[in-house]
Amino acid sequence: MTRTEPQPGEGQIGEVLIGSEELQRRVSELGAEISRDYEDGVLLIGILKGAVLFLADLMRCLRIPCEIDFIAVSSYGSATDSSGVVRILKDLESSIEGRDVLIVEDIIDSGLTLHYLIRNLRARGPRSLEVCALLDKPERRRVDLPIRYVGFEIPDRFVIGYGLDYGQRFRNLDYVAVLAEEDDERA
Ligand code: IMP
Ligand code: MG
């Protein structure tokens, strides 16, 4: 269901890149794939806040025992660029030692945030540690990352919706759109 009523700030919502049905279809494919790969169960770690919608939909598509936990990080930088300097704002509640862990992330851009997180979580001794990202912007990658599951590869545009924000807004859209202001800024 796509929202039809105008919302404040709607002028900032640009071209729709991935519609709601396409998102749901791909999420259920990922869920089926993950269910096949983790027959014994998995611990999903959602990266707050962007991964919340994706994680909620993804876990509904899993047919295996699954637990969830969350970690919140801040990466210093501007509203549209991360710097790679990462701070943990909220840590996991439980130990991941010996567990099969799947990090659930909204989008991988430079990869710096995830690079830091993977190093940090690996040090806690999980049995396995993989990444599932809804979106991937491969053109922007600055570090090499092993990403086991990717929903969609997208071009180098700043996107909003389905968990992704611009200045904390637009996370509630049930589709992924380009931030319209980007066109003005980069023109
Ligand atoms: P990275 O460290 O450059 O890979 O940045 C990762 C984080 O930056 C993501 O988890 C998002 O929170 C944010 N981010 C990167 N690209 C976008 C975008 O296009 N829209 C919204 N947030 C983004
Ligand atoms: Mg994020």
Side-chain angles (χ1 to χ4, degrees):
M1 183 194 71
T2 301
R3 255 166 261 279
T4 48
E5 286 166 30
Q7 320 180 35
E10 199 161 70
Q12 288 173 290
I13 305 174
E15 177 200 346
V16 175
L17 270 194
I18 310 165
S20 156
E21 282 175 21
E22 199 182 346
L23 278 172
Q24 294 307 324
R25 196 164 50 235
R26 183 68 186 124
V27 170
S28 69
E29 282 174 9
L30 288 171
E33 204 178 327
I34 292 165
S35 299
R36 276 196 301 273
D37 293 348
Y38 292 88
E39 281 180 352
D40 299 332
V42 66
L43 170 61
L44 303 176
I45 294 185
I47 305 183
L48 294 172
K49 304 166 191 162
V52 163
L53 276 69
F54 177 40
L55 179 109
D57 285 342
L58 182 67
M59 70 186 291
R60 273 184 271 229
C61 298
L62 297 183
R63 297 290 170 262
I64 49 172
C66 99
E67 293 177 33
I68 59 171
D69 203 345
F70 293 95
I71 192 165
V73 297
S74 82
S75 51
Y76 298 102
S78 71
T80 56
D81 278 291
S82 83
S83 64
V85 182
V86 178
R87 195 159 58 98
I88 293 183
L89 301 176
K90 179 220 169 289
D91 208 339
L92 300 174
E93 271 175 23
S94 47
S95 162
I96 60 169
E97 201 180 335
R99 306 290 306 269
D100 290 309
V101 174
L102 183 59
I103 300 173
V104 180
E105 174 62 310
D106 51 3
I107 186 166
I108 303 175
D109 188 38
S110 69
L112 293 169
T113 306
L114 211 54
H115 181 73
Y116 167 88
L117 257 183
I118 288 172
R119 232 182 16 207
N120 182 294
L121 295 179
R122 224 186 265 299
R124 306 183 193 194
R127 187 161 85 135
S128 66
L129 183 65
E130 302 286 350
V131 176
C132 175
L134 177 71
L135 305 175
D136 182 16
K137 287 192 223 174
E139 285 169 52
R140 299 259 302 174
R141 196 64 32 81
R142 287 171 57 192
V143 283
D144 208 21
L145 283 181
I147 310 167
R148 176 86 173 260
Y149 309 95
V150 173
F152 302 88
E153 284 194 357
I154 61 166
D156 179 14
R157 318 277 302 270
F158 193 85
V159 291
I160 52 175
Y162 198 62
L164 293 143
D165 73 304
Y166 176 62
Q168 297 302 325
R169 296 197 41 209
F170 306 114
R171 296 190 196 274
N172 55 314
L173 307 177
D174 65 356
Y175 52 88
V176 172
V178 171
L179 176 70
E181 272 191 355
E182 174 194 54
D183 300 333
D184 308 335
E185 265 172 34
R186 296 192 185 178

